[in-house]
């Protein structure tokens, strides 16, 4: 069953009451979150008219505060992001129910482009990345999470992080004549799959590529999303390519690129708000702003409405491959602006 069905009006009507209930749930169960809302003057009786009216947390608060809405005894898994220079790692706490929900909804989202059966899978990474099962890095969590949607996993990199060309050739000889799944982070996919496939004349035409991780590292190679898709198609035959946008702070929710490329879409349980970085009002289509991601999944921690440190733009509403808003990520916010977002909450945010 598709999770890309709701028009924007249907999404507002359906998600707003759920998200308001989640806000109340986290207020009641997370002391840190309750203090943040109080410091912002948002009382328990505050009513929200639109999704864009809901209070947001800057995503970096999960680097500096322990925010959870379940008792310590119910924490089943703790996820950590890859900490950037000068900032700690985000810590995201999942109970068993939350872990099951995020796996289920990630599966429902990806089923849109993968179909219902688990496909043979090329992992553009090394098996070493998923060795520690209790506490994952963002990359490890991504790899392990995606591994659930494939079978007959073959890792493109060997134990020394070098391309294992023979392993890839063997995989393609065995499974390459029918649909197969490829997953990796964008830069690694380009470096270790595209360039290897091009140089070795490998046929990837039956592949379905799911990739993520941003374009920053490919700028010096003059590769953007359009060029990425064009070169893969011309040099390897691979045309079914879906970038996605997601983060460990909202695990299980991914905004998936539609078949036409260059636009990301919200699954039915999520939404996006693009905000003017000076007024914080919602931007119209075509005007860049700060990306806020909204999801009904985070119940074990208050991550349901998060202001990211990324810039984005609406490309349209209810006029793309799938219904609802569709948008592009333009890159990271300048550091000063990112700090400004967090400073909004510095008043009473100590956990």
């Amino acid at each position: 069953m598709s999770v890309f069905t709701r028009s924007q009006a249907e999404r507002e009507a359906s998600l707003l009451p759920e998200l308001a209930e989640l806000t109340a749930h986290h207020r009641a169960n997370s002391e840190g979150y309750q203090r943040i809302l109080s410091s912002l003057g948002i009382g328990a009786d505050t009513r929200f008219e639109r999704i864009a009216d809901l209070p947001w947390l800057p995503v970096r608060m999960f680097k500096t505060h322990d925010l959870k809405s379940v008792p310590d005894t119910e924490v089943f898994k703790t996820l950590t992001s890859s900490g950037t220079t000068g900032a700690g790692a985000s810590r995201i706490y999942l109970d068993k129910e939350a872990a099951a929900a995020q796996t289920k909804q990630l599966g429902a989202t990806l089923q849109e482009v993968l179909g219902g059966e688990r496909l043979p899978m090329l992992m553009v990474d090394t098996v070493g990345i998923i060795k520690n099962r209790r506490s994952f890095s963002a990359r490890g969590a991504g790899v392990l999470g995606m591994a659930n949607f494939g079978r007959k996993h073959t890792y493109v990199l060997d134990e020394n992080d070098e391309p294992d060309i023979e392993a890839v050739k063997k995989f393609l000889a065995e499974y390459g004549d029918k649909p197969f799944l490829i997953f990796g982070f964008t830069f690694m996919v380009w470096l270790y799959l595209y360039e290897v496939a091009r140089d070795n004349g490998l046929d990837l035409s039956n592949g379905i590529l799911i990739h993520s991780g941003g374009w920053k590292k490919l700028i010096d190679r003059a590769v953007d999303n359009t060029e990425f898709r064009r070169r893969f198609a011309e040099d390897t035959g691979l045309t079914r390519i879906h970038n996605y946008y997601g983060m460990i702070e909202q695990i299980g929710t991914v905004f998936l690129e539609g078949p036409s490329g260059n636009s990301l879409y919200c699954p039915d349980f999520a939404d996006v708000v693009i905000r003017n970085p000076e007024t914080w009002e919602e931007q119209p289509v075509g005007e860049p702003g700060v990306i806020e991601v909204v999801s009904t999944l985070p119940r074990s921690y208050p991550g349901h409405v998060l202001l990211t440190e990324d810039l984005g733009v609406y490309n349209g509403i209810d006029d793309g491959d799938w219904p609802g808003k569709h948008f592009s990520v333009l890159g990271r916010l300048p550091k000063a602006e990112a700090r400004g977002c967090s400073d909004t909450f510095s008043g009473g945010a100590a956990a």
Side-chain angles (χ1 to χ4, degrees):
M1 213 168 109
S2 176
V3 293
F4 291 94
T5 64
R6 285 178 171 165
S7 70
Q8 196 54 38
E10 290 168 334
R11 193 178 303 266
E12 277 279 345
S14 174
L15 295 190
L16 182 58
E18 279 192 65
L19 291 160
E21 187 278 324
L22 264 180
T23 301
H25 163 79
H26 292 307
R27 178 197 289 275
N29 291 283
S30 169
E31 192 181 330
Y33 185 68
Q34 189 273 328
R35 280 209 295 268
I36 291 165
L37 293 191
S38 295
S39 74
L40 295 172
I42 298 167
D45 56 352
T46 302
R47 294 187 61 79
F48 309 107
E49 299 299 323
R50 304 176 307 139
I51 287 173
D53 295 339
L54 292 157
W56 38 262
L57 292 185
V59 75
R60 67 164 49 207
M61 290 203 78
F62 291 92
K63 297 183 189 301
T64 56
H65 296 68
D66 262 348
L67 293 168
K68 55 181 172 289
S69 306
V70 291
D72 290 346
T73 52
E74 288 180 26
V75 173
F76 168 65
K77 190 180 286 184
T78 303
L79 303 174
T80 57
S81 69
S82 42
T84 51
T85 310
S90 291
R91 294 174 305 285
I92 303 302
Y93 299 96
L94 302 179
D95 60 6
K96 284 194 173 177
E97 191 180 331
Q102 57 99 354
T103 301
K104 180 186 172 193
Q105 295 295 55
L106 179 60
T109 304
L110 295 176
Q111 201 166 356
E112 189 73 30
V113 295
L114 297 180
E117 81 178 89
R118 289 168 69 197
L119 301 173
M121 188 170 187
L122 268 181
M123 310 285 279
V124 189
D125 216 309
T126 170
V127 71
I129 196 69
I130 60 167
K131 287 287 168 72
N132 182 357
R133 288 296 182 105
R134 172 86 185 149
S135 182
F136 298 121
S137 67
R139 186 172 134 204
V143 169
L144 194 73
M146 285 298 302
N148 292 322
F149 304 107
R151 60 186 176 88
K152 306 291 185 188
H153 304 90
T154 293
Y155 285 82
V156 171
L157 301 180
D158 63 20
E159 298 279 336
N160 301 312
D161 290 351
E162 295 292 331
D164 189 342
I165 297 165
E166 290 311 310
V168 176
K169 285 180 176 175
K170 185 179 173 197
F171 176 92
L172 292 172
E174 200 163 345
Y175 304 112
D177 60 339
K178 291 193 179 73
F180 61 92
L181 173 57
I182 308 167
F183 172 73
F185 293 92
T186 306
F187 177 70
M188 295 177 72
V189 167
W190 183 260
L191 204 62
Y192 300 122
L193 184 66
Y194 166 73
E195 292 184 359
V196 167
R198 178 197 63 196
D199 295 347
N200 289 272
L202 303 181
D203 177 7
L204 303 177
S205 57
N206 283 316
I208 304 168
L209 170 62
I210 308 283
H211 71 104
S212 183
W215 301 93
K216 197 164 60 177
K217 290 183 176 176
L218 291 180
I219 289 171
D220 60 340
R221 294 168 185 258
V223 177
D224 60 10
N225 196 13
T226 303
E227 183 70 357
F228 184 94
R229 296 172 73 95
R230 184 184 71 79
R231 299 266 288 276
F232 255 112
E234 285 184 11
D235 295 337
T236 74
L238 179 65
T239 57
R240 283 180 288 176
I241 297 174
H242 298 273
N243 189 16
Y244 73 85
Y245 177 66
M247 59 206 66
I248 204 163
E249 292 85 0
Q250 220 172 66
I251 192 82
T253 304
V254 297
F255 300 86
L256 193 62
E257 186 177 33
S260 307
N262 290 320
S263 240
L264 299 158
Y265 292 80
C266 309
D268 288 347
F269 53 87
D271 203 5
V272 64
V273 179
I274 306 291
R275 294 195 180 274
N276 182 308
E278 291 178 5
T279 66
W280 302 115
E281 293 300 310
E282 186 171 12
Q283 293 283 58
V285 171
E287 289 289 324
V290 187
I291 299 173
E292 172 187 308
V293 288
V294 180
S295 171
T296 58
L297 288 191
R299 198 165 182 88
S300 58
Y301 65 99
H304 56 310
V305 188
L306 298 179
L307 191 76
T308 73
E309 296 179 353
D310 296 318
L311 284 168
V313 62
Y314 295 136
N315 297 326
I317 301 174
D318 294 329
D319 59 357
D321 293 339
W322 299 319
K325 297 170 180 172
H326 57 105
F327 67 104
S328 292
V329 179
L330 303 176
R332 301 288 280 176
L333 269 175
K335 273 186 184 154
E337 287 187 48
R339 275 203 300 275
C341 299
S342 294
D343 291 347
T344 312
F345 287 88
S346 58

